[in-house]
């Protein structure tokens, strides 16, 4: 690990952290900003959790939109990706004649939310298998064409799938959905601070995601982006005092009593992320991810070809071992990476490279995998 591991973050000494993509990791800079916001709020909660809060959150929303090229009128902050997804899924109209298509590489709770919504409405739910390693855009579109009969109402996919770490062809999938009369709902949990966000260009209907995974932000903070047609329709999943507001930001600014500090710290998180980008540190992370792929592919199979690999998130198929065996080995070595089952039960190992990682971390991981795979 680089000296930045202790200088900029509160990571435990000796820990090799390759899993910030699961929960994010707030920097010391942002943690200090959070402490100041909390002291301010506790000095007068009636004032700072009252009328002033909405405008404070509006300013953060505008700042975030400028950083990532989103339209403020179409964007709101929310608690996390799950709450954004819940708001969208509960608000879009579904009837027995509707069909919802979901890829099996999606985050499991999102698939489950669509299953529940379809069952409630009597709508058809179709889950499409995406074999790993990913076989490319043409293969995926062919599967959709062959396995989905008739019109589609909504298609759920990710900008970057979570466990398999696939950078999916969003614009092409959106085109296919529109060709069937439907709309694409996009999970961008691994988007902001990692890859560009361009919902207007892609032709998607709605986007939900997180900001604490790839920014050095306090957790949890999410966002949603909606087309003009959905801005007035989508409401928070929880019915709070601002649920009926015509203003999108105000509508999502008060989900009952909550901690607004992660949202209020976004300015500090974005500013630090911008500095990293200008200093070339994020480019170094991308180069380290490429080095990790080149090193580990002698031991494991990447989940996709280079065209579909995210810049700083990589996943590998480990043959001949169980999830439990790999998790146990990582834990004993004080090494953190995500390990879990793939869509077909395969053992997946996912790593994320961050500003504190170096080649020594990758070498240590490769050595551990060699021991686990070839005892």
């Amino acid at each position: 690990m680089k000296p930045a591991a202790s200088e900029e973050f509160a990571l435990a000494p000796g820990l090799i952290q390759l899993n910030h993509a699961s929960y994010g990791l707030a920097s010391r800079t942002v943690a200090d900003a959070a402490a100041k916001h909390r002291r301010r709020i506790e000095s007068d909660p009636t004032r700072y959790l009252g009328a002033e809060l909405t405008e404070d959150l509006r300013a953060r929303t505008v700042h975030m939109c400028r950083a990532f090229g989103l339209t403020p009128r179409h964007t709101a902050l929310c608690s996390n990706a799950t709450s954004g997804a819940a708001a969208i899924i509960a608000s879009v109209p579904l009837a027995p004649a509707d069909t919802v298509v979901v890829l099996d590489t999606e985050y499991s709770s999102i698939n489950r939310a669509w299953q529940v919504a379809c069952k409630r409405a009597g709508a058809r739910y179709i889950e499409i298998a995406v074999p790993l390693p990913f076989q490319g855009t043409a293969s995926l579109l062919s599967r959709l064409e062959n396995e989905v009969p008739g019109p589609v109402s909504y298609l759920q996919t990710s900008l970057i799938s979570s466990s398999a770490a696939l950078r999916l062809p969003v614009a092409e999938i959106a085109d296919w959905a529109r060709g069937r009369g439907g709309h694409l709902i996009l999970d961008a949990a691994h988007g902001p601070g990692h890859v560009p966000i361009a919902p207007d260009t892609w032709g998607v209907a709605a986007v939900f995601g997180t900001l604490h995974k790839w920014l050095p932000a306090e957790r949890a903070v999410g966002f949603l982006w909606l087309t003009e047609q959905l801005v007035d329709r989508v409401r928070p999943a929880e019915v709070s005092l601002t649920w009926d507001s015509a203003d999108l930001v105000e509508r999502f600014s008060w989900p009952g009593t909550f901690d607004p500090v992660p949202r209020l710290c976004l300015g500090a998180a974005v500013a630090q992320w911008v500095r990293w980008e200008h200093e070339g540190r994020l480019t170094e992370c991308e180069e380290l991810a490429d080095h990790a792929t080149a090193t580990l592919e002698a031991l494991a199979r990447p989940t996709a070809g280079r065209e579909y690999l995210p810049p700083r998130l990589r996943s590998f198929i480990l043959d001949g071992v169980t999830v439990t065996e790999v998790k146990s080995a990582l834990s004993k070595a004080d090494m953190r990476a995500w390990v879990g089952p793939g869509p077909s039960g395969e053992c997946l190992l996912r790593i994320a490279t961050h500003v504190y990682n170096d080649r020594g971390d990758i070498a240590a991981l490769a050595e551990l995998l060699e021991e686990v795979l070839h005892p």
Side-chain angles (χ1 to χ4, degrees):
M1 300 284 280
K2 293 178 179 177
S6 58
E7 294 170 0
E8 295 184 282
F9 301 90
L11 284 169
L15 183 74
I16 294 179
Q17 172 62 282
L18 289 163
N19 190 35
H20 82 269
S22 280
Y23 306 107
L25 187 63
S27 66
R28 294 184 186 275
T29 297
V30 173
D32 289 345
K36 292 178 183 178
H37 281 295
R38 289 195 171 93
R39 287 195 295 270
R40 175 173 173 264
I41 289 171
E42 297 309 320
S43 74
D44 191 351
T46 303
R47 175 182 177 184
Y48 296 119
L49 293 179
E52 291 189 17
L53 180 61
T54 297
E55 293 314 307
D56 283 345
L57 295 178
R58 191 185 310 281
R60 272 55 176 197
T61 303
V62 170
H63 186 77
M64 185 273 291
C65 287
R66 287 174 178 166
F68 299 115
L70 299 174
T71 308
R73 167 172 160 68
H74 294 175
T75 309
L77 300 176
C78 57
S79 298
N80 48 48
T82 303
S83 64
I88 293 167
I89 294 170
S91 299
V92 296
L94 276 180
D98 289 316
T99 295
V100 173
V101 178
V102 181
L103 306 186
D104 72 351
T105 47
E106 297 309 293
Y107 198 67
S108 57
S109 67
I110 305 303
N111 291 26
R112 183 63 182 138
W114 279 113
Q115 288 175 344
V116 170
C118 287
K119 183 176 181 179
R120 185 180 294 127
R124 176 190 289 181
Y125 172 89
I126 299 177
E127 191 165 298
I128 300 296
V130 182
L132 298 177
F134 182 56
Q135 297 167 8
T137 302
S139 176
L140 175 58
L141 295 180
S142 178
R143 276 184 172 268
L144 288 168
E145 192 65 28
N146 294 332
E147 298 180 26
V148 179
V152 167
S153 302
Y154 301 99
L155 193 159
Q156 173 72 59
T157 190
S158 289
L159 175 57
I160 296 172
S161 69
S162 182
S163 57
L166 304 177
R167 188 171 186 173
L168 291 161
V170 173
E172 290 85 347
I173 297 172
D175 282 341
W176 183 88
R178 283 195 301 274
R180 292 293 189 97
H183 306 280
L184 182 67
I185 310 297
L186 187 67
D187 179 347
H190 291 284
H194 187 198
V195 297
I197 307 293
D200 284 318
T201 301
W202 294 328
V204 304
V207 181
F208 61 86
T210 53
L211 295 162
H212 62 261
K213 287 184 183 288
W214 293 92
L215 296 176
E218 289 248 314
R219 71 182 71 82
V221 55
F223 77 100
L224 54 85
W225 176 95
L226 307 165
T227 55
E228 188 69 34
Q229 293 79 4
L230 290 178
V231 164
D232 294 328
R233 177 183 287 276
V234 173
R235 305 276 155 172
E238 64 276 273
V239 180
S240 64
L241 293 174
T242 58
W243 191 88
D244 290 303
S245 175
D247 173 40
L248 185 64
V249 168
E250 183 178 58
R251 197 182 309 159
F252 282 86
S253 288
W254 190 254
T257 301
F258 79 115
D259 181 10
V261 169
R263 305 186 196 189
L264 295 173
C265 290
L266 279 177
V270 169
Q272 189 167 30
W273 173 81
V274 168
R275 286 197 298 274
W276 289 341
E277 188 173 46
H278 287 169
E279 292 167 358
R281 296 174 70 183
L282 300 182
T283 300
E284 290 177 3
C285 294
E286 295 176 20
E287 292 169 351
L288 184 61
D290 288 340
H291 169 72
T293 297
T295 300
L296 299 180
E297 64 185 358
L299 298 165
R301 293 182 290 149
T303 52
R306 186 173 183 83
E307 180 183 357
Y308 302 104
L309 296 179
R312 290 175 270 142
L313 187 68
R314 304 294 165 88
S315 192
F316 303 85
I317 304 165
L318 303 181
D319 297 314
V321 290
T322 67
V323 169
T324 300
E325 289 170 338
V326 180
K327 280 187 174 181
S328 176
L330 287 168
S331 179
K332 291 176 182 177
D334 255 357
M335 194 176 300
R336 302 292 180 258
W338 182 89
V339 183
S344 299
E346 55 271 88
C347 179
L348 296 183
L349 169 80
R350 189 196 70 194
I351 65 169
T353 53
H354 205 10
V355 295
Y356 45 67
N357 292 121
D358 59 21
R359 291 196 172 200
D361 300 335
I362 305 306
L365 177 59
E367 183 178 351
L368 181 141
L369 290 178
E370 178 70 38
E371 293 174 358
V372 172
L373 293 166
H374 305 111

